[in-house]
Amino acid sequence: RAETAIPNSQNRLVLFLYAAGGVTAILALLALSAALIRSKKSLKDAKEALEDAKKLQKIFMDAADTLIYLKDENLKYVFANRAMEAFYHRREDQIIGYTDFDLSEDEFAQKRRNTDLKALNQNKVVSDEVEWNGKTFKTLKFPVPLPNGHTGVGAYVTEITEARKNERKQEKVLYRHMIMADMLSRSFQSRQEQLDYALHESLKLTESQYGCIYLYDESK
């Protein structure tokens, strides 16, 4: 009807405004969608990069003979390398979330707990040696800031049993030479004093509690 019809020029203007608004909305939606896609792609890329870094880190840690691990603020394992799996005879998923007391004898676990606490309380790198079941372990422990704001403990543990045995052998060789030199160079008041000295030093050298010296008489 003529009385309700919108003049052509005005009608075209209204249609143009609606169209312009629709295009703007569509462009805005497209821009938002593109941003979301980029964001999702960035997150995906970041996640993939993180996973790749973890795999590389795992490869390097597993290649080491040294025991490598990280514990959280409650001294529960966060990760452990393959050497740790061999040490405990367990898979990594059977180590993570547990403490030393869950995985080994209390006495040995307490020795390891002591060095953990030392690193945490002193807030510095701590080097120590722990002996257990005839084996000697050199430990290097250090505080590690965790993502949750707490502090955990990282560690490198190396078995040095053979190295320590060789050192002790060398020390005994040197000590034996010192005894022989003293026997020849020192002045003793009597033969018995000389023999007593030799006996006592030999007990130290052999780490024995008892010992005796037999005298051999060529003529008899």
Side-chain angles (χ1 to χ4, degrees), residues 18-214:
Y18 272 109
V23 170
T24 302
I26 292 172
L27 290 175
L29 287 173
L30 288 174
L32 179 60
S33 299
L36 288 173
I37 291 171
R38 285 196 301 272
S39 176
K40 186 176 287 188
K41 187 175 185 301
S42 298
L43 288 173
K44 183 180 179 182
D45 290 344
K47 186 176 180 181
E48 290 178 354
L50 182 60
E51 290 300 320
D52 289 341
K54 285 182 178 179
K55 289 177 183 178
L56 288 174
Q57 176 184 319
K58 182 69 174 168
I59 290 171
F60 275 89
M61 288 196 306
D62 285 344
D65 293 331
T66 301
L67 279 64
I68 303 173
Y69 62 79
L70 173 66
K71 295 177 182 176
D72 63 15
E73 68 275 14
N74 298 312
L75 300 180
K76 293 182 178 181
Y77 286 100
V78 176
F79 67 71
N81 70 338
R82 190 167 295 167
M84 281 292 296
E85 293 179 309
F87 178 80
Y88 274 130
H89 303 289
R90 297 170 184 260
R91 299 190 311 272
E92 186 182 22
D93 60 357
Q94 296 174 319
I95 297 174
I96 293 174
Y98 295 93
T99 69
D100 289 319
F101 287 94
D102 299 322
L103 302 171
S104 58
E105 298 178 36
D106 286 354
E107 185 179 350
F108 184 45
Q110 187 60 55
K111 287 187 175 189
R112 303 178 75 184
R113 174 64 59 86
N114 291 341
T115 53
D116 287 342
L117 293 175
K118 191 175 180 180
L120 284 176
N121 294 335
Q122 295 184 8
N123 194 34
K124 67 178 184 179
V125 178
V126 173
S127 180
D128 202 355
E129 288 187 14
V130 176
E131 293 191 4
W132 183 252
N133 285 342
K135 293 184 178 181
T136 305
F137 299 92
K138 182 177 180 61
T139 64
L140 188 68
K141 298 189 176 181
F142 45 91
V144 179
L146 301 175
N148 61 6
H150 294 286
T151 302
V153 178
Y156 297 101
V157 182
T158 308
E159 185 183 343
I160 56 171
T161 307
E162 290 303 316
R164 285 292 174 265
K165 283 182 179 179
N166 291 334
E167 285 181 10
R168 291 183 186 119
K169 285 180 182 178
Q170 188 63 32
E171 287 171 359
K172 285 187 176 183
V173 169
L174 294 174
Y175 192 56
R176 183 165 63 246
H177 289 166
M178 184 194 74
I179 294 173
M180 293 174 65
D182 280 353
M183 288 284 292
L184 296 172
S185 61
R186 280 183 58 175
S187 296
F188 296 95
Q189 294 182 357
S190 66
R191 187 180 183 187
Q192 186 61 49
E193 182 185 359
Q194 185 181 32
L195 293 174
D196 287 342
Y197 171 80
L199 176 59
H200 293 152
E201 293 301 318
S202 297
L203 290 175
K204 292 179 185 178
L205 179 64
T206 58
E207 299 178 359
S208 302
Q209 187 175 1
Y210 304 104
C212 60
I213 291 180
Y214 285 93

